[in-house]
Structures are given as structure tokens and as C-alpha cells.
Amino acid sequence: MASSNDDGNQNVERKIIMAVDFGTTYSGLAWAQTRKPEIHSPVIQWPDATSGGLEGATSDKVPTKIQYDDQGYKWGFQISDFGPRHQWFKLGLDDQKRGSCDLATRYPDINAAPPAYGQGPEELVKDYLTALRCHAERVLRHKLPQSALASTPIEFVITVPAVWSDRAQASTRKCAELAGMGTGSSLHIISEPEAAAMYALDAMDPHNIKVGDTFVLCDAGGGTVDLISYKVSALKPVLRIEEAAPSSSSLCSSTFLNRIFYKFLSDRFSTDPNWDQDVVEEAMKRFEVTVKRSFHGNPNDEYQIPVPGLRDNAAYGVRRGRLRLTGSDVSKIFAPVVAEVIALVKGQIRATEAEVKAVLMVGGFGQSVFLRDSIRSAVASHGIEVMQSPNGFVKTSWIDDPADEV
């Protein structure tokens, strides 16, 4: 027997909403049907170098990378971790300057490819969004009956950083239109931090939220760290928030942890005759998958990093193709990045006239226990809580109400 809610949903125009979390370093997709809005389906299967369909890599997100060749271009997991490729091109749509963090200068990306002739940021974004759109359609063809898909319109929702200018938002829309994601009212552009805040607050304890509460949202991802202050303006019939202070942003993200770790390896082992790309690739993968995501700040922790072929070196902790990495070593790798994020958080708190109740962490880097604890220590004297979203890496609340556009 259908519930009254089910009956109500039958009167809603049937659509498929495809949410696109277009990120600086990683992007994601999730979809839902308007008649079943409570069911969100994140896309977790992506094409890789060996498969062009749904049998490739399994991940919540796909790298925001593109590589051109004689056959056209590869994207995401189709590109190897090393070798020239275009990345961070999303930021090329924004003509505003970000914070003065110098991490990008101190730790450059050794694999970055300059745009080829005729390939400005708009072209790169358009091609990447086209790849996302084609994959989204492939997923829907696999999940839904052909008859239902043929009769149901698809609307795309794309997030943009709150710090972006009107010009950058317009550029994003133009690229999405050229990528085949729709035009006019069928294509929605919404604020990335606001979407994340709504999702995170809804997923956390709703009974502890009051009208007038002010908080700082820290969206720490792979490419940028974006902050904005919000005030809760309503709880019923639905949660509503409004901006309480202008946003701030800087290039001080988790990508720089990888670059600092690469420099750490290079400074120690680049003169070893067996130092090569295979060594770097194995070590970087272990750092990304295990060390970076699990580090809690304990200096006595130890990690074994594969460095196949390197000579034993007691002074540097290398034995039988393994590098002994201590928690103290990892803390030094984190230190310059965490310091920049803390400075950004403190600056946002100062810019917020109302009393800040909490700092809300979202984004992939925002789930780091070490980053969370470091920020807690930095703001403890102000009585400000620091909380992590239960699932800060996947932001899908914008599926429910794509009408809330910027």
C-alpha cells in the first residue's frame, strides 16, 4: 500500500536529476529521480586505462584530469599517475585572485602540462564535462529501462565555489552547455559551500541547531580550501541558511601533501642509481591511500613505504625495499599545509561579526583527523566546536532542491 508521501510524489513531474560535483582535483556524480527524491545514487564506477565502460575503477570520485593524444583525449582514471596531463584547469575559469599561500611556488607539480595551442581553460573544462556527461548517460542506460529513460528528461546540477565571480559562473554555464548538459532552466548552477553545508547540517544532529546559530564552513578539498560563514535563518518547514560573512579561499589543499612527500623522497633518494619512476609511483600510492588518510598525529606511529630497488640505507630507514616513515616525519609533511588552513580558518572567524558556534569540516581533506584536531587546538580558546560531516567527501543534498541557484 502506497504511503501518502508516495501519492504526493506521483504528482511531481518525473525527471532525473544528475548532480555534478566538478572539483579542482576530483569530481563526482550522483543522481536521483524526482518521484523518489530520498534515494540518491552516487556513481562509483569509472572507465580506466583498460576499460571504457563500467568495469574500470571503483571510487567515490574521479580525478579531474585530461590528456590529449592522436585519438582525442583521455580523462580521469584513464590517465596514469605520471606523465604530462592537464589538471587544476577549473581554476582557469575564475579571474579572481586567491589567497597569497606560496605552497604552489614552493612545491610545483612536476607532471603538469601547459595548455596546448587553442586549448584554454574553457576548452579543457568543456571536454572534461563532456566526458562526465557521456559517462553519466552510460550509467543511466545501465541502471534504468530504455523506455523509462527515453521518456524522462535529465537535468544537470553543477556546483561552483562561493568565491567565484559572476563571470566565472557564466563561464561554467557556457562550458556545461557546450558539453551537452542542457541549456536555460534545465541546467542548474548552485553554490558549492552552501550545498555542502545543507548536507552536512542535515546529516549531523539536527536537534542541536537553533535559528541564529552561526558557523564557518571549511570545505577542504584536493585543490583549494574554501571558507564561508553562514547563519541558520529557518528550521521549518526546511532548513535554511544565509551568508554571514564573505567567503575566502586559498590553494593550500591536500594535493600539496603529496608534493611535499615527493620532495621528501627526492631530496633523500634521487642520487640512488635505482631511483626511477617505478619507485616514485609505488611510494606515492602508499602515501596517498594509507598514510595521508590515516595519520592521526601520533609521532610514534610507523608506516612502511615500498621503494622497490633502492639500496639499503640505515640512515634513511630503507631496508629490503621498504622505507620506514615515522609519525614525526609525516607531521613535518603536514605542517606547512595545516598551518595555512589554520590561518585561513582564523581569518574567516575574525571576518564574521556574529559569534561563531562551530567550524564545520567538509571535503576530502576535511575528513583528516589530524587537520580536525589541529584546528580544534587552534580555536579552543574561543570555545568554538570543530565538527566533521559524517560523509564530507560526497555532497549530494543539491539533488533535492536544484532550484536554490546562485
Side-chain angles (χ1 to χ4, degrees):
M1 181 177 179
S3 68
S4 58
N5 187 56
D6 292 333
D7 292 338
N9 286 339
Q10 295 308 309
N11 297 323
V12 176
E13 181 184 358
R14 184 173 182 177
K15 297 179 183 178
I16 296 170
I17 305 298
M18 181 63 69
V20 182
D21 183 7
F22 176 40
T24 305
T25 57
Y26 282 87
S27 296
L29 295 169
W31 61 280
Q33 300 182 66
T34 51
R35 291 189 179 178
K36 298 180 180 179
E38 73 282 358
I39 302 177
H40 298 176
S41 300
V43 174
I44 60 171
Q45 298 296 133
W46 308 95
D48 61 13
T50 61
S51 171
L54 303 178
E55 301 80 23
T58 300
S59 175
D60 290 331
K61 298 269 185 145
V62 61
T64 307
K65 301 176 183 177
I66 194 167
Q67 182 183 73
Y68 292 87
D69 55 28
D70 294 339
Q71 306 301 316
Y73 60 82
K74 299 176 182 177
W75 68 288
F77 289 110
Q78 294 177 333
I79 305 171
S80 68
D81 290 336
F82 295 89
R85 73 268 193 251
H86 300 290
Q87 61 177 16
W88 292 48
F89 45 84
K90 168 185 171 179
L91 300 182
L93 298 181
D94 184 17
D95 54 4
Q96 296 191 121
K97 298 297 183 182
R98 282 179 162 76
S100 59
C101 170
D102 65 346
L103 291 174
T105 302
R106 290 160 56 194
Y107 305 103
D109 180 10
I110 62 170
N111 293 309
Y117 177 76
Q119 291 172 342
E122 292 83 2
E123 183 74 11
L124 297 171
V125 171
K126 184 262 292 182
D127 287 346
Y128 185 81
L129 291 181
T130 298
L132 280 180
R133 191 260 304 166
C134 291
H135 185 65
E137 293 174 348
R138 186 182 299 114
V139 168
L140 293 177
R141 288 195 297 269
H142 180 74
K143 298 290 185 180
L144 299 174
Q146 183 60 36
S147 58
L149 191 58
S151 61
T152 308
I154 303 172
E155 293 190 0
F156 284 83
V157 182
I158 305 176
T159 59
V160 294
V163 297
W164 273 21
S165 63
D166 291 342
R167 179 179 175 183
Q169 293 172 25
S171 295
T172 303
R173 173 175 285 277
K174 179 181 178 181
C175 291
E177 290 177 349
L178 293 173
M181 289 185 170
T183 58
S185 61
S186 67
L187 175 62
H188 308 273
I189 308 293
I190 69 171
S191 169
E192 196 171 82
E194 185 171 349
M198 296 290 286
Y199 172 78
L201 288 173
D202 187 61
M204 297 168 71
D205 182 9
H207 304 293
N208 198 33
I209 302 172
K210 301 179 180 64
V211 172
D213 283 351
T214 302
F215 61 93
V216 168
L217 181 84
C218 178
D219 188 353
T224 63
V225 175
D226 301 316
L227 291 97
I228 190 168
S229 302
Y230 286 114
K231 180 175 72 173
V232 176
S233 58
L235 296 174
K236 295 179 180 181
V238 295
L239 175 67
R240 293 290 180 186
I241 58 177
E242 60 185 35
E243 187 175 316
S247 58
S248 55
S249 179
S250 185
L251 302 173
C252 53
S253 59
S254 65
T255 292
F256 291 102
L257 299 177
N258 299 58
R259 297 188 189 181
I260 295 170
F261 178 60
Y262 172 80
K263 187 176 187 303
F264 171 88
L265 293 174
S266 179
D267 288 347
R268 292 191 175 194
F269 306 116
S270 60
T271 57
D272 188 302
N274 295 319
W275 168 264
D276 59 16
Q277 183 171 307
D278 289 339
V279 174
V280 175
E281 186 169 349
E282 288 295 320
M284 295 299 295
K285 282 184 177 179
R286 180 63 58 86
F287 179 80
E288 169 66 31
V289 174
T290 302
V291 180
K292 189 169 79 170
R293 302 184 186 192
S294 64
F295 181 58
H296 287 200
N298 186 346
N300 297 318
D301 283 346
E302 289 190 8
Y303 303 90
Q304 296 295 320
I305 307 297
V307 284
L310 290 192
R311 297 177 298 188
D312 286 0
N313 187 324
Y316 288 149
V318 177
R319 185 171 182 268
R320 296 181 178 178
R322 298 244 169 208
L323 165 65
R324 174 179 168 270
L325 193 67
T326 68
S328 180
D329 293 328
V330 179
S331 182
K332 293 175 183 176
I333 291 170
F334 269 74
V337 180
V338 170
E340 293 287 352
V341 177
I342 289 174
L344 205 60
V345 170
K346 286 185 172 181
Q348 187 67 31
I349 292 172
R350 287 194 299 270
T352 307
E353 294 184 0
E355 181 179 351
V356 174
K357 180 178 181 178
V359 175
L360 183 58
M361 309 289 295
V362 299
F365 191 28
Q367 301 311 289
S368 164
V369 172
F370 182 66
L371 177 62
R372 179 200 66 194
D373 290 348
S374 298
I375 294 175
R376 274 181 178 167
S377 297
V379 302
S381 61
H382 299 282
I384 298 173
E385 296 183 72
V386 179
M387 302 178 290
Q388 288 173 316
S389 166
N391 189 0
F393 197 52
V394 181
K395 297 170 285 187
T396 59
S397 67
W398 4 293
I399 290 177
D400 295 332
D401 193 6
D404 290 339
E405 297 190 51
V406 293

